Amino acid sequence: MPRWLPRAMVLALALVACFQLATWGFHQLIGLLLNVLIAFFLALAIEPAVDWMAGRGMRRGLATGLVFLAILVATVGFVTLLGSMLAGQIATMVEEFPQYLDSVISWTNSTFHTHLSRVQVQNNLLNSDWLQKYVQDSANNVLAVSAQVLGGLFNLLTVALFSFYFAADGPRLRRALCSVLPPRRQAEVLRAWEIAVAKTGGYLYSRGLMALISGVAHYVLLEILGVPYAPALGMWVGLISQFVPTIGTYMAGALPILIAFTVNPWYALWVFGFVVVYQQFENYLLQPRITARTVDIHPAVAFGSVIAGTALMGAVGALIAIPATATLQAFLGAYVKRYEVTADPRSRFRARRRGGATGGGADDAAGSAGSAGESGAGAPGGEEGAVPSDEEGAVPRGEEGAVPSGARRDGA
């Protein structure tokens, strides 16, 4: 056995063990890393407001606390308003459920010539196997649901804590990061940070604009149908559909459909159809155009980044895909050298064909003028048809690439 083989085997096993340990640690900490990433982008979003208050003499910690307090008050007020509205509507639905059921049964009997009764439907529903199984599974999953709720609250507090520190200690964090880098790298890091702040703010502005448009559109529909609490429902649809990724659209559309059902079951169908059609209009027309203007990326890039972010990180990826892509594009744009695009020969050919379609006489006249210009290349500069020496395409004397006069005489 060679003397180096045992050492090589030990080294290979050590490398494999380190790799497995690093992989295990990454998978264990991926939840924390995602929370830190969300907190970082949230801190970038509120940093302009914190900087504005800090520039007027307020301490950054106090300014950050006031911004978080305003967000908390707005969120609690909105949830309280919608919660009271939803509780009242659910109570109304429960009280009037027998009337709804009678109307549905009468419509079914008259349309399909059946002989259903409310008592029969209620007995079949209460004695059904799937309902009993659903109740039993729900009772068994109470502990799991409670654990998920507590885990969600813990993640929310983690994101809030990290975002508070990122926003309050932003300058100190940047100085600590730049202190381990050379001066040239420090300038690049600071520029990337400013770009990220600008792009994240533009992304939130675009989301707010789309929430306003969506809220107004759904408010108009609900007001026309006579659905109660139309302003609050429009606000709910606008905010939830834009700021809750992946499932926000379904959460936003379910509540107006439920409230419309309490007024008229057919109204619920109308609201459902409008929600579906509007979401297609927003996803394929409105969102790419607004995002392209506010975040300054191409609509196709914005759409593709959302799909890629969702595939990589789920809801978190869908939320931060556009600002991350815009930041990366703006940062790399400074290092990509761009050149002036030369004239496309095909455009000249098409222009020549369009000119030929205007008439043969014009072509003959143009050809004669061109021939005269070519033959009169040595004519004085003031005469018609002479080609000035400083025009594009002319070859000045004495410059690089110019043809010597002797060569012209030889060629002649």
Side-chain angles (χ1 to χ4, degrees):
M1 180 184 297
R3 305 175 91 183
W4 55 266
L5 185 57
R7 295 181 180 179
M9 293 177 63
V10 171
L11 180 60
L13 292 176
L15 291 177
V16 171
C18 291
F19 176 76
Q20 294 291 338
L21 182 62
T23 304
W24 173 81
F26 176 77
H27 283 290
Q28 294 297 321
L29 296 176
I30 190 170
L32 177 62
L33 295 177
L34 289 178
N35 290 334
V36 171
L37 185 62
I38 296 174
F40 177 71
F41 276 95
L42 181 60
L44 292 179
I46 66 175
E47 187 168 351
V50 175
D51 290 339
W52 181 81
M53 288 188 285
R56 282 156 177 77
M58 187 179 298
R59 292 188 297 111
R60 289 190 65 89
L62 180 59
T64 306
L66 290 178
V67 172
F68 271 89
L69 181 61
I71 295 175
L72 179 62
V73 169
T75 304
V76 171
F78 181 69
V79 172
T80 303
L81 175 63
L82 287 178
S84 60
M85 178 195 68
L86 183 60
Q89 291 298 316
I90 289 177
T92 303
M93 180 182 294
V94 171
E95 293 176 358
E96 298 180 357
F97 182 76
Q99 288 80 1
Y100 297 145
L101 188 59
D102 289 339
S103 62
V104 171
I105 290 174
S106 61
W107 178 82
T108 304
N109 292 334
S110 61
T111 304
F112 300 102
H113 305 287
T114 58
H115 302 282
L116 299 176
S117 63
R118 187 175 67 183
V119 178
Q120 180 182 359
V121 172
Q122 290 178 350
N123 292 333
N124 292 334
L125 183 63
L126 294 176
N127 296 327
S128 60
D129 295 335
W130 67 268
L131 181 61
Q132 295 178 2
K133 186 176 181 302
Y134 176 77
V135 173
Q136 184 178 2
D137 293 341
S138 300
N140 295 331
N141 293 331
V142 170
L143 183 60
V145 172
S146 302
Q148 290 180 358
V149 171
L150 292 178
L153 291 177
F154 178 77
N155 291 333
L156 182 62
L157 292 177
T158 303
V159 170
L161 183 63
F162 275 105
S163 60
F164 178 84
Y165 284 127
F166 284 153
D169 294 337
R172 187 183 307 173
L173 179 63
R174 287 191 288 269
R175 284 196 299 268
L177 183 61
C178 292
S179 63
V180 297
L181 299 174
R184 185 170 60 88
R185 298 298 180 186
Q186 293 179 11
E188 294 177 357
V189 169
L190 294 176
R191 187 168 59 86
W193 196 291
E194 294 299 326
I195 290 174
V197 171
K199 296 301 181 181
T200 306
Y203 173 71
L204 289 181
Y205 171 76
S206 64
R207 284 293 176 179
L209 182 59
M210 286 189 294
L212 177 63
I213 297 174
S214 176
V216 171
H218 288 84
Y219 161 73
V220 171
L221 174 69
L222 297 174
E223 191 69 27
I224 292 175
L225 296 178
V227 177
Y229 305 104
L233 290 175
M235 187 184 303
W236 162 268
V237 173
L239 293 177
I240 299 300
S241 63
Q242 301 303 323
F243 292 99
V244 177
T246 308
I247 61 173
T249 301
Y250 309 104
M251 292 176 57
L255 184 59
I257 293 173
L258 181 64
I259 303 300
F261 184 81
T262 62
V263 180
N264 191 331
W266 290 107
Y267 289 174
L269 186 61
W270 277 100
V271 174
F272 173 76
F274 182 81
V275 168
V276 172
V277 172
Y278 181 82
Q279 286 302 318
Q280 302 307 314
F281 166 75
E282 180 184 276
N283 293 336
Y284 293 100
L285 294 178
L286 186 62
Q287 178 177 347
R289 295 179 182 274
I290 293 180
T291 304
R293 292 180 179 273
T294 55
V295 193
D296 195 20
I297 60 176
H298 194 273
V301 177
F303 185 70
S305 64
V306 171
I307 296 177
T310 305
L312 291 175
M313 293 184 292
V316 178
L319 184 63
I320 66 176
I322 293 180
T325 304
T327 302
L328 183 62
Q329 176 181 333
F331 182 72
L332 295 179
Y335 299 96
V336 177
K337 188 176 181 181
R338 298 182 181 274
Y339 301 93
E340 184 178 356
V341 180
T342 58
D344 190 357
R346 292 176 298 176
S347 62
R348 296 179 181 177
F349 178 73
R350 287 192 292 266
R352 194 175 302 145
R353 291 187 61 183
R354 286 196 298 269
T358 57
D363 290 342
D364 295 341
S368 301
S371 301
E374 293 176 359
S375 60
E383 294 183 4
E384 184 178 1
V387 180
S389 60
D390 57 348
E391 285 188 0
E392 182 181 0
V395 182
R397 294 182 180 180
E399 292 186 0
E400 184 180 357
V403 182
S405 57
R408 293 177 183 174
R409 288 194 298 268
D410 294 340

